[in-house]
mmCIF file of all heavy atoms in Angstrom:
data_model
loop_
_atom_site.group_PDB
_atom_site.id
_atom_site.type_symbol
_atom_site.label_atom_id
_atom_site.label_comp_id
_atom_site.label_asym_id
_atom_site.label_seq_id
_atom_site.Cartn_x
_atom_site.Cartn_y
_atom_site.Cartn_z
ATOM 1 N N LEU A 1 0.912 -1.127 0.018
ATOM 2 C CA LEU A 1 0.007 -0.065 0.028
ATOM 3 C C LEU A 1 0.836 1.191 0.007
ATOM 4 O O LEU A 1 1.262 1.643 1.003
ATOM 5 C CB LEU A 1 -0.912 0.038 1.194
ATOM 6 C CG LEU A 1 -1.830 -1.313 1.307
ATOM 7 C CD1 LEU A 1 -2.555 -1.187 2.680
ATOM 8 C CD2 LEU A 1 -2.758 -1.381 0.139
ATOM 9 N N ALA A 2 1.301 1.636 -1.169
ATOM 10 C CA ALA A 2 2.311 2.673 -1.350
ATOM 11 C C ALA A 2 3.581 2.304 -0.531
ATOM 12 O O ALA A 2 4.032 1.122 -0.495
ATOM 13 C CB ALA A 2 1.787 4.095 -1.029
ATOM 14 N N ASP A 3 4.127 3.199 0.251
ATOM 15 C CA ASP A 3 5.158 3.039 1.155
ATOM 16 C C ASP A 3 4.711 2.931 2.637
ATOM 17 O O ASP A 3 5.560 3.027 3.527
ATOM 18 C CB ASP A 3 6.333 4.026 1.087
ATOM 19 C CG ASP A 3 6.919 4.062 -0.227
ATOM 20 O OD1 ASP A 3 7.196 2.989 -0.907
ATOM 21 O OD2 ASP A 3 7.282 5.148 -0.766
ATOM 22 N N TRP A 4 3.310 2.794 2.711
ATOM 23 C CA TRP A 4 2.814 2.904 4.131
ATOM 24 C C TRP A 4 2.642 1.541 4.805
ATOM 25 O O TRP A 4 2.670 1.510 6.103
ATOM 26 C CB TRP A 4 1.414 3.520 3.975
ATOM 27 C CG TRP A 4 1.285 4.730 3.113
ATOM 28 C CD1 TRP A 4 2.434 5.601 2.839
ATOM 29 C CD2 TRP A 4 0.237 5.134 2.294
ATOM 30 N NE1 TRP A 4 1.990 6.536 1.962
ATOM 31 C CE2 TRP A 4 0.680 6.361 1.571
ATOM 32 C CE3 TRP A 4 -1.055 4.702 2.070
ATOM 33 C CZ2 TRP A 4 -0.234 6.969 0.705
ATOM 34 C CZ3 TRP A 4 -1.880 5.371 1.227
ATOM 35 C CH2 TRP A 4 -1.442 6.528 0.541
ATOM 36 N N ALA A 5 2.548 0.519 4.063
ATOM 37 C CA ALA A 5 2.364 -0.861 4.675
ATOM 38 C C ALA A 5 2.581 -1.957 3.606
ATOM 39 O O ALA A 5 2.068 -1.686 2.525
ATOM 40 C CB ALA A 5 1.005 -1.034 5.413
ATOM 41 N N SER A 6 3.269 -2.969 4.012
ATOM 42 C CA SER A 6 3.461 -4.039 3.065
ATOM 43 C C SER A 6 3.132 -5.308 3.799
ATOM 44 O O SER A 6 3.402 -5.494 4.988
ATOM 45 C CB SER A 6 4.888 -4.125 2.620
ATOM 46 O OG SER A 6 5.250 -3.092 1.795
ATOM 47 N N LEU A 7 2.414 -6.237 3.118
ATOM 48 C CA LEU A 7 1.991 -7.516 3.769
ATOM 49 C C LEU A 7 2.430 -8.634 2.844
ATOM 50 O O LEU A 7 2.556 -8.507 1.651
ATOM 51 C CB LEU A 7 0.484 -7.575 3.892
ATOM 52 C CG LEU A 7 -0.429 -7.683 2.690
ATOM 53 C CD1 LEU A 7 -0.639 -9.169 2.228
ATOM 54 C CD2 LEU A 7 -1.890 -7.005 2.916
ATOM 55 N N GLU A 8 2.812 -9.752 3.534
ATOM 56 C CA GLU A 8 3.145 -11.013 2.898
ATOM 57 C C GLU A 8 2.228 -12.140 3.502
ATOM 58 O O GLU A 8 1.864 -12.037 4.720
ATOM 59 C CB GLU A 8 4.608 -11.419 3.111
ATOM 60 C CG GLU A 8 5.567 -10.407 2.434
ATOM 61 C CD GLU A 8 6.993 -10.879 2.844
ATOM 62 O OE1 GLU A 8 7.426 -10.486 3.859
ATOM 63 O OE2 GLU A 8 7.576 -11.574 2.036
ATOM 64 N N SER A 9 1.825 -13.156 2.853
ATOM 65 C CA SER A 9 1.049 -14.215 3.381
ATOM 66 C C SER A 9 1.354 -15.528 2.707
ATOM 67 O O SER A 9 1.750 -15.593 1.565
ATOM 68 C CB SER A 9 -0.445 -13.810 3.283
ATOM 69 O OG SER A 9 -0.913 -13.939 1.920
ATOM 70 N N VAL A 10 1.089 -16.576 3.288
ATOM 71 C CA VAL A 10 1.152 -17.869 2.867
ATOM 72 C C VAL A 10 -0.147 -18.581 3.256
ATOM 73 O O VAL A 10 -0.767 -18.367 4.227
ATOM 74 C CB VAL A 10 2.373 -18.707 3.280
ATOM 75 C CG1 VAL A 10 3.632 -18.196 2.684
ATOM 76 C CG2 VAL A 10 2.433 -18.823 4.827
ATOM 77 N N GLY A 11 -0.692 -19.568 2.502
ATOM 78 C CA GLY A 11 -1.898 -20.137 2.739
ATOM 79 C C GLY A 11 -2.502 -20.676 1.426
ATOM 80 O O GLY A 11 -1.891 -21.558 0.868
ATOM 81 N N PRO A 12 -3.588 -20.129 1.006
ATOM 82 C CA PRO A 12 -4.429 -19.189 1.690
ATOM 83 C C PRO A 12 -5.383 -19.889 2.611
ATOM 84 O O PRO A 12 -5.552 -21.100 2.526
ATOM 85 C CB PRO A 12 -5.237 -18.524 0.615
ATOM 86 C CG PRO A 12 -5.394 -19.588 -0.417
ATOM 87 C CD PRO A 12 -4.087 -20.484 -0.283
ATOM 88 N N ALA A 13 -6.105 -19.187 3.585
ATOM 89 C CA ALA A 13 -7.115 -19.717 4.383
ATOM 90 C C ALA A 13 -8.446 -19.493 3.860
ATOM 91 O O ALA A 13 -8.904 -18.363 3.637
ATOM 92 C CB ALA A 13 -6.939 -19.168 5.812
ATOM 93 N N ARG A 14 -9.212 -20.567 3.460
ATOM 94 C CA ARG A 14 -10.536 -20.428 3.034
ATOM 95 C C ARG A 14 -11.426 -20.196 4.264
ATOM 96 O O ARG A 14 -12.484 -19.535 4.114
ATOM 97 C CB ARG A 14 -10.960 -21.618 2.288
ATOM 98 C CG ARG A 14 -10.185 -21.918 1.035
ATOM 99 C CD ARG A 14 -10.083 -20.761 0.047
ATOM 100 N NE ARG A 14 -9.408 -21.036 -1.144
ATOM 101 C CZ ARG A 14 -9.026 -20.188 -2.033
ATOM 102 N NH1 ARG A 14 -9.269 -18.757 -1.845
ATOM 103 N NH2 ARG A 14 -8.318 -20.487 -3.107
ATOM 104 N N GLN A 15 -11.056 -20.780 5.384
ATOM 105 C CA GLN A 15 -11.855 -20.670 6.561
ATOM 106 C C GLN A 15 -10.892 -20.836 7.730
ATOM 107 O O GLN A 15 -9.850 -21.475 7.661
ATOM 108 C CB GLN A 15 -12.980 -21.616 6.650
ATOM 109 C CG GLN A 15 -12.582 -23.115 6.675
ATOM 110 C CD GLN A 15 -13.755 -24.071 6.758
ATOM 111 O OE1 GLN A 15 -14.806 -23.701 6.163
ATOM 112 N NE2 GLN A 15 -13.559 -25.180 7.415
ATOM 113 N N TRP A 16 -11.228 -20.214 8.894
ATOM 114 C CA TRP A 16 -10.479 -20.447 10.074
ATOM 115 C C TRP A 16 -11.339 -20.111 11.260
ATOM 116 O O TRP A 16 -12.323 -19.510 11.174
ATOM 117 C CB TRP A 16 -9.263 -19.424 10.124
ATOM 118 C CG TRP A 16 -9.526 -18.010 10.096
ATOM 119 C CD1 TRP A 16 -9.623 -17.282 11.179
ATOM 120 C CD2 TRP A 16 -9.550 -17.204 8.945
ATOM 121 N NE1 TRP A 16 -9.786 -15.902 10.840
ATOM 122 C CE2 TRP A 16 -9.751 -15.864 9.374
ATOM 123 C CE3 TRP A 16 -9.587 -17.346 7.612
ATOM 124 C CZ2 TRP A 16 -9.937 -14.810 8.556
ATOM 125 C CZ3 TRP A 16 -9.694 -16.214 6.766
ATOM 126 C CH2 TRP A 16 -9.946 -15.031 7.246
ATOM 127 N N ASP A 17 -11.017 -20.746 12.415
ATOM 128 C CA ASP A 17 -11.791 -20.534 13.690
ATOM 129 C C ASP A 17 -10.989 -19.824 14.731
ATOM 130 O O ASP A 17 -11.542 -19.662 15.803
ATOM 131 C CB ASP A 17 -12.346 -21.937 14.127
ATOM 132 C CG ASP A 17 -11.260 -22.916 14.293
ATOM 133 O OD1 ASP A 17 -10.092 -22.586 14.546
ATOM 134 O OD2 ASP A 17 -11.620 -24.144 14.026
ATOM 135 N N ARG A 18 -9.662 -19.528 14.467
ATOM 136 C CA ARG A 18 -8.970 -18.806 15.478
ATOM 137 C C ARG A 18 -7.799 -17.999 14.854
ATOM 138 O O ARG A 18 -7.286 -18.479 13.840
ATOM 139 C CB ARG A 18 -8.331 -19.850 16.527
ATOM 140 C CG ARG A 18 -7.540 -19.270 17.622
ATOM 141 C CD ARG A 18 -6.951 -20.193 18.542
ATOM 142 N NE ARG A 18 -6.247 -19.527 19.587
ATOM 143 C CZ ARG A 18 -5.462 -20.181 20.482
ATOM 144 N NH1 ARG A 18 -5.236 -21.555 20.347
ATOM 145 N NH2 ARG A 18 -4.795 -19.576 21.470
ATOM 146 N N GLU A 19 -7.544 -16.850 15.341
ATOM 147 C CA GLU A 19 -6.410 -16.023 14.980
ATOM 148 C C GLU A 19 -5.480 -15.798 16.106
ATOM 149 O O GLU A 19 -5.980 -15.457 17.248
ATOM 150 C CB GLU A 19 -6.858 -14.643 14.404
ATOM 151 C CG GLU A 19 -7.790 -14.705 13.262
ATOM 152 C CD GLU A 19 -8.228 -13.330 12.797
ATOM 153 O OE1 GLU A 19 -7.584 -12.341 13.162
ATOM 154 O OE2 GLU A 19 -9.243 -13.203 12.078
ATOM 155 N N VAL A 20 -4.163 -16.083 15.912
ATOM 156 C CA VAL A 20 -3.111 -15.728 16.867
ATOM 157 C C VAL A 20 -2.250 -14.679 16.399
ATOM 158 O O VAL A 20 -1.680 -14.854 15.298
ATOM 159 C CB VAL A 20 -2.473 -17.101 17.262
ATOM 160 C CG1 VAL A 20 -1.260 -16.769 18.307
ATOM 161 C CG2 VAL A 20 -3.421 -18.208 17.645
ATOM 162 N N VAL A 21 -2.083 -13.597 17.261
ATOM 163 C CA VAL A 21 -1.297 -12.508 16.755
ATOM 164 C C VAL A 21 0.072 -12.682 17.509
ATOM 165 O O VAL A 21 0.173 -12.838 18.652
ATOM 166 C CB VAL A 21 -1.890 -11.183 17.192
ATOM 167 C CG1 VAL A 21 -0.971 -10.001 16.755
ATOM 168 C CG2 VAL A 21 -3.274 -10.969 16.410
ATOM 169 N N ARG A 22 1.171 -12.514 16.697
ATOM 170 C CA ARG A 22 2.541 -12.604 17.175
ATOM 171 C C ARG A 22 3.210 -11.264 16.839
ATOM 172 O O ARG A 22 3.205 -10.774 15.744
ATOM 173 C CB ARG A 22 3.265 -13.685 16.535
ATOM 174 C CG ARG A 22 4.719 -13.960 16.955
ATOM 175 C CD ARG A 22 5.283 -15.114 16.217
ATOM 176 N NE ARG A 22 6.722 -15.317 16.588
ATOM 177 C CZ ARG A 22 7.099 -16.104 17.541
ATOM 178 N NH1 ARG A 22 6.240 -16.783 18.261
ATOM 179 N NH2 ARG A 22 8.378 -16.353 17.761
ATOM 180 N N GLY A 23 3.684 -10.554 17.859
ATOM 181 C CA GLY A 23 4.264 -9.209 17.665
ATOM 182 C C GLY A 23 3.099 -8.130 18.053
ATOM 183 O O GLY A 23 2.133 -8.474 18.793
ATOM 184 N N SER A 24 3.290 -6.963 17.496
ATOM 185 C CA SER A 24 2.371 -5.824 17.904
ATOM 186 C C SER A 24 1.676 -5.232 16.674
ATOM 187 O O SER A 24 2.300 -4.703 15.788
ATOM 188 C CB SER A 24 3.202 -4.792 18.599
ATOM 189 O OG SER A 24 2.463 -3.602 18.876
ATOM 190 N N LEU A 25 0.426 -5.200 16.735
ATOM 191 C CA LEU A 25 -0.426 -4.535 15.624
ATOM 192 C C LEU A 25 -0.225 -3.132 15.737
ATOM 193 O O LEU A 25 -0.216 -2.354 14.794
ATOM 194 C CB LEU A 25 -1.869 -4.918 15.774
ATOM 195 C CG LEU A 25 -2.329 -6.357 15.268
ATOM 196 C CD1 LEU A 25 -3.626 -6.676 15.947
ATOM 197 C CD2 LEU A 25 -2.531 -6.312 13.752
ATOM 198 N N HIS A 26 -0.078 -2.582 17.020
ATOM 199 C CA HIS A 26 0.057 -1.146 17.283
ATOM 200 C C HIS A 26 1.325 -0.637 16.644
ATOM 201 O O HIS A 26 1.433 0.392 16.149
ATOM 202 C CB HIS A 26 0.016 -0.936 18.756
ATOM 203 C CG HIS A 26 0.153 0.599 19.174
ATOM 204 N ND1 HIS A 26 1.406 1.156 19.477
ATOM 205 C CD2 HIS A 26 -0.767 1.522 19.270
ATOM 206 C CE1 HIS A 26 1.299 2.414 19.680
ATOM 207 N NE2 HIS A 26 -0.080 2.649 19.548
ATOM 208 N N ASP A 27 2.413 -1.474 16.730
ATOM 209 C CA ASP A 27 3.752 -1.107 16.331
ATOM 210 C C ASP A 27 3.980 -1.264 14.873
ATOM 211 O O ASP A 27 4.883 -0.838 14.282
ATOM 212 C CB ASP A 27 4.880 -1.719 17.087
ATOM 213 C CG ASP A 27 4.821 -1.322 18.574
ATOM 214 O OD1 ASP A 27 4.456 -0.193 18.903
ATOM 215 O OD2 ASP A 27 5.348 -2.133 19.465
ATOM 216 N N GLY A 28 2.934 -2.155 14.230
ATOM 217 C CA GLY A 28 3.072 -2.318 12.849
ATOM 218 C C GLY A 28 4.175 -3.347 12.424
ATOM 219 O O GLY A 28 4.665 -3.404 11.308
ATOM 220 N N GLU A 29 4.429 -4.213 13.356
ATOM 221 C CA GLU A 29 5.321 -5.342 13.165
ATOM 222 C C GLU A 29 4.794 -6.657 13.785
ATOM 223 O O GLU A 29 4.968 -6.785 14.959
ATOM 224 C CB GLU A 29 6.795 -5.041 13.686
ATOM 225 C CG GLU A 29 7.787 -6.110 13.273
ATOM 226 C CD GLU A 29 9.227 -5.687 13.670
ATOM 227 O OE1 GLU A 29 9.552 -4.580 13.321
ATOM 228 O OE2 GLU A 29 9.842 -6.522 14.217
ATOM 229 N N PHE A 30 4.062 -7.466 13.012
ATOM 230 C CA PHE A 30 3.304 -8.588 13.552
ATOM 231 C C PHE A 30 3.129 -9.612 12.463
ATOM 232 O O PHE A 30 3.306 -9.410 11.290
ATOM 233 C CB PHE A 30 2.018 -8.024 14.067
ATOM 234 C CG PHE A 30 1.056 -7.428 13.068
ATOM 235 C CD1 PHE A 30 0.216 -8.276 12.300
ATOM 236 C CD2 PHE A 30 1.201 -6.100 12.625
ATOM 237 C CE1 PHE A 30 -0.562 -7.740 11.243
ATOM 238 C CE2 PHE A 30 0.426 -5.571 11.635
ATOM 239 C CZ PHE A 30 -0.459 -6.380 10.914
ATOM 240 N N SER A 31 2.750 -10.847 13.056
ATOM 241 C CA SER A 31 2.197 -11.843 12.044
ATOM 242 C C SER A 31 0.896 -12.441 12.708
ATOM 243 O O SER A 31 0.715 -12.338 14.004
ATOM 244 C CB SER A 31 3.257 -12.994 12.004
ATOM 245 O OG SER A 31 3.603 -13.503 13.260
ATOM 246 N N ILE A 32 -0.047 -12.831 11.859
ATOM 247 C CA ILE A 32 -1.307 -13.352 12.308
ATOM 248 C C ILE A 32 -1.336 -14.818 11.768
ATOM 249 O O ILE A 32 -1.152 -14.983 10.582
ATOM 250 C CB ILE A 32 -2.515 -12.478 11.859
ATOM 251 C CG1 ILE A 32 -2.389 -11.084 12.420
ATOM 252 C CG2 ILE A 32 -3.710 -13.181 12.389
ATOM 253 C CD1 ILE A 32 -3.482 -10.248 12.008
ATOM 254 N N TRP A 33 -1.669 -15.797 12.671
ATOM 255 C CA TRP A 33 -1.674 -17.064 12.339
ATOM 256 C C TRP A 33 -3.061 -17.615 12.370
ATOM 257 O O TRP A 33 -3.838 -17.442 13.395
ATOM 258 C CB TRP A 33 -0.723 -17.957 13.378
ATOM 259 C CG TRP A 33 0.593 -17.466 13.363
ATOM 260 C CD1 TRP A 33 1.025 -16.230 13.919
ATOM 261 C CD2 TRP A 33 1.737 -18.055 12.893
ATOM 262 N NE1 TRP A 33 2.385 -16.117 13.700
ATOM 263 C CE2 TRP A 33 2.837 -17.234 13.184
ATOM 264 C CE3 TRP A 33 1.892 -19.302 12.206
ATOM 265 C CZ2 TRP A 33 4.157 -17.615 12.809
ATOM 266 C CZ3 TRP A 33 3.237 -19.650 12.049
ATOM 267 C CH2 TRP A 33 4.406 -18.815 12.227
ATOM 268 N N TYR A 34 -3.578 -18.074 11.240
ATOM 269 C CA TYR A 34 -4.951 -18.503 11.086
ATOM 270 C C TYR A 34 -5.061 -20.005 11.188
ATOM 271 O O TYR A 34 -4.574 -20.817 10.412
ATOM 272 C CB TYR A 34 -5.480 -18.103 9.693
ATOM 273 C CG TYR A 34 -5.306 -16.615 9.467
ATOM 274 C CD1 TYR A 34 -4.168 -16.042 8.930
ATOM 275 C CD2 TYR A 34 -6.390 -15.656 9.864
ATOM 276 C CE1 TYR A 34 -3.997 -14.696 8.693
ATOM 277 C CE2 TYR A 34 -6.226 -14.328 9.713
ATOM 278 C CZ TYR A 34 -5.064 -13.744 9.077
ATOM 279 O OH TYR A 34 -4.839 -12.470 9.050
ATOM 280 N N LEU A 35 -5.795 -20.412 12.207
ATOM 281 C CA LEU A 35 -5.982 -21.855 12.615
ATOM 282 C C LEU A 35 -7.254 -22.369 12.265
ATOM 283 O O LEU A 35 -8.291 -21.700 12.479
ATOM 284 C CB LEU A 35 -5.658 -22.108 14.066
ATOM 285 C CG LEU A 35 -4.175 -21.743 14.505
ATOM 286 C CD1 LEU A 35 -4.153 -21.278 15.845
ATOM 287 C CD2 LEU A 35 -3.251 -22.824 14.260
ATOM 288 N N ASP A 36 -7.349 -23.673 11.808
ATOM 289 C CA ASP A 36 -8.599 -24.309 11.552
ATOM 290 C C ASP A 36 -8.694 -25.639 12.226
ATOM 291 O O ASP A 36 -7.898 -26.564 11.680
ATOM 292 C CB ASP A 36 -8.834 -24.409 9.957
ATOM 293 C CG ASP A 36 -10.239 -25.009 9.561
ATOM 294 O OD1 ASP A 36 -11.112 -24.956 10.503
ATOM 295 O OD2 ASP A 36 -10.361 -25.478 8.479
ATOM 296 N N GLN A 37 -9.358 -25.731 13.275
ATOM 297 C CA GLN A 37 -9.459 -27.001 14.111
ATOM 298 C C GLN A 37 -7.962 -27.338 14.507
ATOM 299 O O GLN A 37 -7.613 -28.538 14.417
ATOM 300 C CB GLN A 37 -10.132 -28.040 13.254
ATOM 301 C CG GLN A 37 -11.548 -27.766 12.929
ATOM 302 C CD GLN A 37 -12.248 -28.928 12.141
ATOM 303 O OE1 GLN A 37 -11.659 -29.886 11.810
ATOM 304 N NE2 GLN A 37 -13.498 -28.758 11.872
ATOM 305 N N GLY A 38 -7.268 -26.421 14.971
ATOM 306 C CA GLY A 38 -5.882 -26.758 15.525
ATOM 307 C C GLY A 38 -4.734 -26.759 14.429
ATOM 308 O O GLY A 38 -3.591 -26.849 14.985
ATOM 309 N N ARG A 39 -5.121 -26.785 13.248
ATOM 310 C CA ARG A 39 -4.008 -26.835 12.191
ATOM 311 C C ARG A 39 -3.900 -25.462 11.534
ATOM 312 O O ARG A 39 -4.894 -24.779 11.313
ATOM 313 C CB ARG A 39 -4.278 -27.913 11.205
ATOM 314 C CG ARG A 39 -4.324 -29.317 11.729
ATOM 315 C CD ARG A 39 -4.758 -30.360 10.674
ATOM 316 N NE ARG A 39 -4.463 -31.644 11.163
ATOM 317 C CZ ARG A 39 -5.211 -32.363 11.993
ATOM 318 N NH1 ARG A 39 -6.294 -31.812 12.510
ATOM 319 N NH2 ARG A 39 -4.784 -33.631 12.410
ATOM 320 N N LEU A 40 -2.675 -25.173 11.214
ATOM 321 C CA LEU A 40 -2.498 -23.816 10.476
ATOM 322 C C LEU A 40 -2.870 -23.846 9.144
ATOM 323 O O LEU A 40 -2.468 -24.756 8.301
ATOM 324 C CB LEU A 40 -0.928 -23.603 10.547
ATOM 325 C CG LEU A 40 -0.544 -22.130 10.128
ATOM 326 C CD1 LEU A 40 -1.105 -21.111 11.111
ATOM 327 C CD2 LEU A 40 0.964 -22.024 10.026
ATOM 328 N N ALA A 41 -3.770 -22.832 8.761
ATOM 329 C CA ALA A 41 -4.355 -22.812 7.444
ATOM 330 C C ALA A 41 -3.558 -21.698 6.658
ATOM 331 O O ALA A 41 -3.412 -21.793 5.354
ATOM 332 C CB ALA A 41 -5.718 -22.397 7.468
ATOM 333 N N ALA A 42 -3.126 -20.628 7.418
ATOM 334 C CA ALA A 42 -2.436 -19.565 6.648
ATOM 335 C C ALA A 42 -1.807 -18.631 7.741
ATOM 336 O O ALA A 42 -2.013 -18.750 8.799
ATOM 337 C CB ALA A 42 -3.456 -18.610 5.876
ATOM 338 N N ALA A 43 -0.925 -17.767 7.115
ATOM 339 C CA ALA A 43 -0.242 -16.855 7.978
ATOM 340 C C ALA A 43 -0.023 -15.547 7.198
ATOM 341 O O ALA A 43 0.245 -15.586 6.095
ATOM 342 C CB ALA A 43 1.133 -17.401 8.557
ATOM 343 N N LEU A 44 -0.136 -14.426 7.950
ATOM 344 C CA LEU A 44 0.032 -13.168 7.379
ATOM 345 C C LEU A 44 1.234 -12.381 8.145
ATOM 346 O O LEU A 44 1.301 -12.589 9.368
ATOM 347 C CB LEU A 44 -1.163 -12.241 7.541
ATOM 348 C CG LEU A 44 -1.081 -10.763 7.422
ATOM 349 C CD1 LEU A 44 -0.964 -10.346 5.916
ATOM 350 C CD2 LEU A 44 -2.258 -10.039 8.002
#
């Protein structure tokens, strides 16, 4: 998004039932892990 934010992801997750945040959304340095029934479906 211009020079304001860049994202990378692997997956993709068609559905998930839990999100786990690693790092800080506030500081703009984080990863989000998308879990579906305990298994990793995708990560951002």
Side-chain angles (χ1 to χ4, degrees):
L1 303 176
D3 295 325
W4 315 329
S6 296
L7 70 89
E8 299 176 275
S9 70
V10 292
R14 300 304 184 195
Q15 62 182 32
W16 63 90
D17 52 33
R18 184 183 179 189
E19 297 179 18
V20 178
V21 178
R22 184 180 179 89
S24 172
L25 284 159
H26 180 266
D27 295 337
E29 187 171 309
F30 61 90
S31 57
I32 301 181
W33 304 68
Y34 302 88
L35 297 152
D36 185 18
Q37 299 182 354
R39 292 176 170 79
L40 188 65
L44 164 74

